[in-house]
Amino acid sequence: MKKFINDPKDFVNEFLEGVALASGGTLKYEPKYHLIYRADMPNKDKVTIIQGSGSGHEPAHTMIVGKGMLDGACPGDVFAGPPVEFVTETSRLLNSPKGILHIVNNYTGDRTAWDMGRELAEADGMKIGTLLVNDDVAVKDSTWTVGRRGVAGNFFVIKAVGAASEEGASLEELLRIGNKVIANVRTMGIALSSCTPPVRGTPLFEIADDEMEVGIGIHGEPGRQRTKLVPASKIVDILLDAVVPDLPFNSGDEVALMINGLGGTPISELYLLYGDAHKKLEKQGIKIFRSYVNEYCTSLEMAGASLTLCKVDEELKRLFLAPAEVSIRVF
Amino acid sequence: MKKFINDPKDFVNEFLEGVALASGGTLKYEPKYHLIYRADMPNKDKVTIIQGSGSGHEPAHTMIVGKGMLDGACPGDVFAGPPVEFVTETSRLLNSPKGILHIVNNYTGDRTAWDMGRELAEADGMKIGTLLVNDDVAVKDSTWTVGRRGVAGNFFVIKAVGAASEEGASLEELLRIGNKVIANVRTMGIALSSCTPPVRGTPLFEIADDEMEVGIGIHGEPGRQRTKLVPASKIVDILLDAVVPDLPFNSGDEVALMINGLGGTPISELYLLYGDAHKKLEKQGIKIFRSYVNEYCTSLEMAGASLTLCKVDEELKRLFLAPAEVSIRVF
């Protein structure tokens, strides 16, 4: 295991402290709940938006806390959902009379924590709504999930409701908008390598030098099949053939196209995949409204990528283009 | 070699085509010269700023072309400087009566191409100035370099002159500002793994499972020493002990602090390094003006990181905070 870490048990706490220190005062960190939150929260004039899945998927979600995105994120340890206490205490600390929106990834551990946390918070009089993200078309019912898994599509849910919430939208409005994104976003990924959670110290799975895992989960869960590595253009075909018919995305649709790196793949390769996917979609009459080529939802240092399509209408286009402030930035 | 590629010979061309397609029309691509450039160039009211080093360091430099940054980038193949023709033709295509600024990394191949390209362009009547970036404190005179190597510090040079050029600064002003950044920026990096250029197909160097290369070059050139891997906090000490005394950075100074990933290291580990470096610098009385935690100048999929400090004054602070538009973005 070759990583920039100290004691593996301190990994999450230490990198989250770095996120807060790097923010120049716009973010605060509460180590008791692994909670990164906006320094200007709570704000009684807006619905509070929070999320907390496993760590190890950065920049999701602790590095996309900021104006126009999440108001707080309280992840568990690497690849582990947050304890119930994180959910209730984060809801309490960031509570707003306009309500709290929980954005939950569809994994059994996450759902249990957020369901119980919601019950406890509601018993305390908090007004809560939940969005359940499940954009991964690869498999239904995998190792850690009943139903489909939530992966990189999360980003579009957060971007849309984050922007609407800055405009003053009600909790009911945010649920409508978030569920519209969820109904229109689909993802599938491919892994070229495994990854090693710090505390575990050994790779999550083994994969041969000439193989790839098609439909990989972001915790290394099995996908659709293990096959021989093929050229990038064939990989794009595999991903589009899974994602496009699923919604389905049709000629005449406008979409956001995301190529998300899983952590260890250079951005040059992501752009290579992007260019090929862009041309193939346009050939099908599907118009690219906006590109997203970067790391959004990773699996530590895993080499791999996922492709996400999100069908957009005028409302979503406006919300996707709205300004936002997050930790990860270029300049 | 596990990569998202087709024919390795097409790698650079294909990913650059992706960069242009992803831009939504703000960037154009001229494959004859690997040239990514702003669609609104040339602009006779501003100095044109161009760069071209090897490919394989993305997002440097083809993905930081845009308003307030580079006007064009014409890289060579992976880890190879651009041919002279790229330099002259890029200068010709993007020529401005206000002049052209060449930002050159201090590698023998790069310098030869840009020196000859400048001579040819000047013979054609173009007005050209050159900035030579050499921020890497690790070694003097390495495999590919006489003097110090240019690495992640490039970003700060480009950000400052890019912003000033949008304000209408003259070529002479840009040379003054760029040289001020170069005089105040210092970097050193550490590699945990090697990387594999697509056409070569084999790793650039070998490194054992328990080793790190201190002072690595961004083409895998040897650094100061090969040692056993140590905890992240000791790695930060090694980097600060090399970078801080070199300028030197002193108590009372204000600095930009960059933790740059070399391609294969997750951003969580970069933030862990950032937090540790931030606290140690503040303890020395050095104030962090702004954080930069991301990939800026990489070596394909190499696992590793570099630390850059840039001492800032009021002018540089203003230019660093100015708006910019680049390919790589989060939303």
Side-chain angles (χ1 to χ4, degrees):
Chain A
M1 179 173 59
K2 295 183 89 170
K3 291 174 184 290
F4 293 113
I5 53 173
N6 297 300
D7 185 330
K9 291 193 303 295
D10 298 328
F11 173 64
V12 174
N13 186 51
E14 288 181 350
F15 87 70
L16 290 177
E17 192 186 3
V19 171
L21 286 170
S23 77
T26 62
L27 298 177
K28 290 187 178 172
Y29 179 47
E30 176 45 74
K32 269 165 75 180
Y33 316 117
H34 285 174
L35 170 62
I36 291 285
Y37 65 106
R38 287 171 60 177
D40 58 353
M41 288 286 120
N43 174 349
K44 67 177 175 41
D45 296 325
K46 81 180 281 299
V47 174
T48 300
I49 305 176
I50 59 178
Q51 185 168 54
S53 198
S55 291
H57 306 301
E58 292 68 32
H61 307 283
T62 42
M63 294 166 195
I64 55 169
V65 174
K67 195 174 157 72
M69 297 290 283
L70 294 172
D71 297 312
C74 55
D77 288 324
V78 170
F79 297 170
V84 177
E85 185 197 12
F86 286 19
V87 175
T88 50
E89 292 308 314
T90 294
S91 299
R92 198 185 316 275
L93 280 167
L94 304 182
N95 189 21
S96 163
K98 290 195 74 170
I100 308 177
L101 181 63
H102 289 177
I103 303 181
V104 182
N105 274 295
N106 190 34
Y107 297 96
T108 306
D110 291 24
R111 287 190 67 167
T112 306
W114 287 87
D115 284 351
M116 289 182 62
R118 176 177 175 157
E119 270 181 46
L120 292 169
E122 283 177 335
D124 276 0
M126 289 181 242
K127 179 183 171 190
I128 298 190
T130 301
L131 289 171
L132 192 66
V133 183
N134 59 354
D135 55 311
D136 187 347
V137 306
V139 290
K140 196 173 170 305
D141 303 342
S142 75
T143 331
W144 298 15
T145 324
V146 176
R148 285 181 164 184
R149 305 175 294 214
V151 287
N154 256 294
F155 177 85
F156 292 108
V157 180
I158 294 166
K159 182 70 189 72
V161 298
S165 138
E166 291 297 329
E167 294 173 352
S170 67
L171 182 58
E172 292 68 29
E173 267 293 277
L174 296 186
L175 288 169
R176 178 189 65 76
I177 292 166
N179 280 316
K180 179 160 77 174
V181 177
I182 291 166
N184 285 285
V185 66
R186 296 291 186 276
T187 300
M188 194 164 91
I190 284 186
L192 305 187
S193 83
S194 185
C195 65
T196 299
V199 171
R200 177 186 163 112
T202 56
L204 273 183
F205 60 95
E206 296 296 328
I207 184 163
D209 277 350
D210 60 347
E211 287 182 340
M212 61 183 186
E213 178 75 25
V214 177
I216 187 78
I218 56 172
H219 314 96
E221 310 98 298
R224 291 187 174 185
Q225 53 178 337
R226 179 74 59 96
T227 69
K228 293 289 174 197
L229 183 61
V230 295
S233 180
K234 296 260 184 231
I235 286 174
V236 170
D237 290 340
I238 292 168
L239 295 175
L240 289 176
D241 288 350
V243 169
V244 172
D246 190 89
L247 190 67
F249 298 89
N250 293 311
S251 178
D253 286 349
E254 273 192 277
V255 299
L257 169 57
M258 172 184 282
I259 302 291
N260 165 59
L262 294 183
T265 287
I267 195 164
S268 48
E269 294 178 38
L270 302 182
Y271 270 103
L272 188 150
L273 295 172
Y274 178 87
D276 194 58
H278 180 110
K279 287 188 283 184
K280 286 169 177 166
L281 286 166
E282 298 250 306
K283 238 179 226 164
Q284 295 182 40
I286 296 169
K287 190 181 163 204
I288 315 296
F289 153 66
R290 190 168 168 83
S291 67
Y292 299 79
V293 187
N294 212 326
E295 292 175 354
Y296 293 89
C297 182
T298 64
S299 300
L300 297 168
E301 74 279 12
M302 185 183 285
S306 63
L307 181 151
T308 300
L309 289 179
C310 181
K311 186 173 159 181
V312 293
D313 60 10
E314 293 310 309
E315 180 182 49
L316 292 186
K317 284 159 73 169
R318 182 178 59 77
L319 295 171
F320 287 173
L321 291 176
E325 289 167 17
V326 290
S327 293
I328 36 164
R329 53 182 167 75
V330 181
F331 60 85
Chain B
M1 179 173 59
K2 294 182 91 170
K3 291 174 185 289
F4 293 112
I5 54 172
N6 297 300
D7 186 329
K9 291 194 303 294
D10 298 328
F11 172 63
V12 173
N13 186 51
E14 289 181 349
F15 88 69
L16 290 177
E17 193 185 2
V19 171
L21 286 169
S23 77
T26 63
L27 299 178
K28 289 188 178 172
Y29 179 47
E30 175 46 75
K32 270 165 75 179
Y33 316 117
H34 286 173
L35 171 61
I36 292 284
Y37 65 106
R38 287 171 60 177
D40 58 352
M41 287 286 120
N43 174 350
K44 66 177 174 45
D45 296 325
K46 80 179 281 300
V47 175
T48 299
I49 305 176
I50 60 178
Q51 184 168 54
S53 199
S55 292
H57 305 301
E58 291 67 32
H61 307 283
T62 42
M63 295 166 194
I64 55 169
V65 174
K67 195 173 157 73
M69 296 290 283
L70 293 172
D71 297 313
C74 55
D77 288 325
V78 170
F79 297 169
V84 176
E85 186 197 11
F86 286 19
V87 175
T88 50
E89 292 307 315
T90 294
S91 300
R92 197 184 316 275
L93 281 167
L94 305 183
N95 190 19
S96 163
K98 290 195 74 171
I100 309 177
L101 181 63
H102 289 176
I103 303 182
V104 182
N105 274 294
N106 190 34
Y107 297 95
T108 306
D110 290 24
R111 289 191 64 167
T112 306
W114 287 87
D115 284 352
M116 290 183 61
R118 175 177 175 158
E119 270 181 46
L120 291 167
E122 284 177 335
D124 275 1
M126 291 180 241
K127 179 184 170 189
I128 298 190
T130 301
L131 289 171
L132 193 66
V133 183
N134 60 353
D135 54 310
D136 188 347
V137 306
V139 290
K140 198 172 170 301
D141 304 341
S142 76
T143 331
W144 298 15
T145 324
V146 177
R148 286 180 164 186
R149 306 175 293 214
V151 287
N154 256 292
F155 178 85
F156 292 109
V157 179
I158 293 166
K159 182 70 189 73
V161 297
S165 139
E166 291 297 330
E167 294 173 352
S170 67
L171 182 57
E172 292 68 29
E173 269 292 279
L174 296 187
L175 288 168
R176 178 189 65 76
I177 291 166
N179 281 317
K180 180 159 76 175
V181 177
I182 292 166
N184 285 286
V185 67
R186 297 291 186 275
T187 299
M188 194 164 90
I190 284 187
L192 305 187
S193 83
S194 186
C195 65
T196 299
V199 171
R200 176 187 164 113
T202 55
L204 274 182
F205 60 95
E206 297 296 330
I207 184 163
D209 277 350
D210 61 347
E211 286 182 339
M212 62 183 187
E213 179 74 26
V214 177
I216 187 77
I218 57 172
H219 314 96
E221 311 98 296
R224 292 187 173 185
Q225 54 177 338
R226 179 74 59 97
T227 68
K228 293 290 173 196
L229 182 60
V230 295
S233 179
K234 297 259 184 232
I235 287 174
V236 170
D237 290 339
I238 292 168
L239 294 175
L240 288 177
D241 288 349
V243 170
V244 172
D246 191 89
L247 191 68
F249 298 90
N250 294 312
S251 178
D253 285 349
E254 273 193 278
V255 299
L257 168 58
M258 172 185 281
I259 301 291
N260 165 60
L262 294 182
T265 287
I267 195 164
S268 47
E269 295 178 36
L270 302 181
Y271 270 102
L272 188 150
L273 295 172
Y274 178 87
D276 195 57
H278 180 109
K279 288 187 283 185
K280 285 170 177 165
L281 285 166
E282 298 249 306
K283 238 180 226 164
Q284 295 182 40
I286 296 169
K287 189 181 164 205
I288 315 297
F289 153 66
R290 191 168 168 83
S291 67
Y292 299 79
V293 187
N294 212 325
E295 291 175 355
Y296 293 89
C297 183
T298 64
S299 300
L300 297 167
E301 74 280 11
M302 185 183 285
S306 64
L307 181 151
T308 300
L309 288 179
C310 182
K311 186 173 159 181
V312 294
D313 59 11
E314 292 311 309
E315 180 181 49
L316 292 186
K317 284 159 73 169
R318 183 177 59 78
L319 295 170
F320 287 174
L321 291 177
E325 290 167 15
V326 290
S327 294
I328 36 163
R329 53 183 168 74
V330 182
F331 60 85

